[in-house]
Amino acid sequence: MVTAAQPLSAHQAGTVPDTKTPRVPGNRVVAGVRHLGPNWYASVMGTAIVATAGAGLPADVPGLRTACTIVWALSLTLLVALLAARALHWAYHRDQARAHLLDPAMAPFYGCLSMALLAVGGGTLLVGRDWIGTPAALAVDTVLFTAGTVIGLVAAVAVPYLMVVRHRIEPGQASPVWLLPIVAPMVSAAVGPLLVPHLPAGQPRETLLLACAAMFGISLVATFVMLPMIFARLVTAGPLPLALTPTLFLVLGPLGQSTTAVGKFADAAPGVVPAPYDQGFALLAVLYGVPVLGFAMLWLALAVAMVVRARRQGMGFAMTWWAFTFPVGTCVTGAEGLARHTGLAAFEVLAVALYALLVTAWSVAAVRTAHGLFDGRLLAGPR
């Protein structure tokens, strides 16, 4: 995704100002990752959600499961490559890494690291087990879920802290990017219930499920705080800059992911929490999920209209286009959950339609990103 939350235009709508790039003799790879920010984890998230959302579709499409497993393997490969590249970034370009943390446009993207780990971990247990077996998939998901949850909780506190104490933000700079660190715990809430059946019966299972419910609350209330500021900025200051317009899709993330989470709670609750709380989760899945997904569709229509407007005005490709993927994917998984818990064909149709949109968006973003990597534009420093 793009690295700016204000109307700047340097490198893909703006990164932090660069200092003199240090020489790294004989190593182009190390020099090349100087401007590789945490926003690149959005490509991992967007790829992983294609696999997990496809695996839950109500439609029985021949070969779909295999295709989803291939996409999961690609997301795992991307995650490993990015973790290595970001390790080089921190080892050899610490000045730039510190600048990222102190930049209000870049710091929120540290939430993407958490969500990338969680998305790949969940995909491992859902579809990756077909290739590596359930024990190995469980081990991988346990590690990635634990790491992703810890990083997400730290980011949900640290980034807002930096915004208050160190960043200097003007009133008109509110951006959907601000949602990234606070939505990370919601991803943990949606992925965690997959591990519940693999824990010993009794308190371990109930503790994990209720911990996921607590993280649901953390993210939901924080989203309620942020969303009014974002919408107020749109109404009072007008449309976002062209390259930042796709970030409007980020608002779908907490909406679709929270709908997914309550559906997962309802799936895992029977036999884990005592009655009548298990039935309470089933009620929550429908009574919460239906209206929230309805609002998500309203926001999707608004975001699409704004993107069409921006495209007509000359919006070109930027890493912000990955915002078209993961947030839409959460709406797919939310609709799939509602289809299970209501039995309504309307939600099945909605899930399939949104998945078609997701695959289209992912294909375009992936091709354009690969092209930008090959010609060097996406890793170039700010002009």
Side-chain angles (χ1 to χ4, degrees):
M1 291 181 189
V2 75
T3 59
Q6 55 264 9
L8 301 176
S9 178
H11 166 55
Q12 303 301 336
T15 63
V16 293
D18 191 18
T19 55
K20 184 177 180 180
T21 302
R23 292 187 175 184
V24 185
N27 198 329
R28 290 186 177 182
V29 174
V30 172
V33 300
R34 177 165 178 77
H35 302 287
L36 184 76
N39 54 320
W40 278 79
Y41 286 113
S43 62
V44 178
M45 297 159 51
T47 302
I49 198 69
V50 172
T52 54
L57 283 179
D60 186 13
V61 180
L64 178 61
R65 178 85 180 184
T66 301
C68 290
T69 309
I70 293 172
V71 174
W72 160 79
L74 176 60
S75 71
L76 179 61
T77 303
L78 289 174
L79 176 63
V80 173
L82 271 175
L83 287 173
R86 288 286 297 162
L88 290 175
H89 177 86
W90 272 96
Y92 292 95
H93 305 291
R94 292 183 182 177
D95 61 321
Q96 192 74 350
R98 286 192 296 268
H100 286 166
L101 281 172
L102 297 178
D103 176 28
M106 178 65 85
F109 286 99
Y110 274 91
C112 290
L113 168 57
S114 166
M115 291 185 281
L117 295 169
L118 293 165
V120 174
T124 304
L125 200 54
L126 284 172
V127 296
R129 64 184 182 185
D130 293 352
W131 286 4
I132 65 175
T134 298
L138 179 61
V140 171
D141 188 27
T142 301
V143 172
L144 295 182
F145 173 77
T146 302
T149 297
V150 171
I151 293 171
L153 291 173
V154 170
V157 175
V159 174
Y161 174 84
L162 290 173
M163 292 172 68
V164 173
V165 176
R166 299 297 299 273
H167 300 163
R168 293 296 175 261
I169 302 172
E170 299 297 328
Q173 291 178 340
S175 164
V177 170
W178 291 3
L179 293 169
L180 290 172
I182 63 174
V183 79
M186 187 68 79
V187 181
S188 292
V191 174
L194 296 174
L195 292 169
V196 169
H198 300 279
L199 291 176
Q203 288 207 8
R205 292 185 181 183
E206 185 175 359
T207 298
L208 177 57
L209 184 59
L210 293 185
C212 290
M215 288 186 286
F216 168 87
I218 290 170
S219 184
L220 185 65
V221 175
T223 298
F224 287 159
V225 172
M226 287 291 188
L227 271 183
M229 291 189 286
I230 294 169
F231 188 71
R233 181 256 176 263
L234 293 174
V235 172
T236 58
L240 294 173
L242 296 183
L244 289 172
T245 302
T247 63
L248 289 171
F249 275 71
L250 295 177
V251 175
L252 298 175
L255 302 175
Q257 198 67 272
S258 61
T259 303
T260 302
V262 292
K264 296 294 185 182
F265 297 162
D267 293 338
V272 173
V273 295
Y277 301 113
D278 55 345
Q279 296 303 313
F281 279 117
L283 289 173
L284 181 66
V286 176
L287 297 182
Y288 172 89
V290 173
V292 170
L293 191 62
F295 177 70
M297 295 302 98
L298 172 66
W299 190 272
L300 176 61
L302 174 64
V304 168
M306 297 298 292
V307 167
V308 170
R309 173 188 175 277
R311 187 64 173 164
R312 288 176 176 174
Q313 293 187 356
M315 181 188 75
F317 175 74
M319 286 297 286
T320 45
W321 284 33
W322 282 101
F324 298 140
T325 56
F326 189 81
V328 174
T330 66
C331 293
V332 176
T333 55
E336 291 169 352
L338 286 174
R340 289 194 309 273
H341 292 286
T342 64
L344 293 178
F347 288 116
E348 296 180 355
V349 172
L350 178 62
V352 172
L354 289 174
Y355 188 71
L357 176 63
L358 169 62
V359 171
T360 301
W362 175 79
S363 300
V364 173
V367 170
R368 298 296 294 271
T369 300
H371 185 267
L373 280 174
F374 288 139
D375 65 21
R377 287 184 298 111
L378 291 181
L379 289 179
R383 301 166 190 166

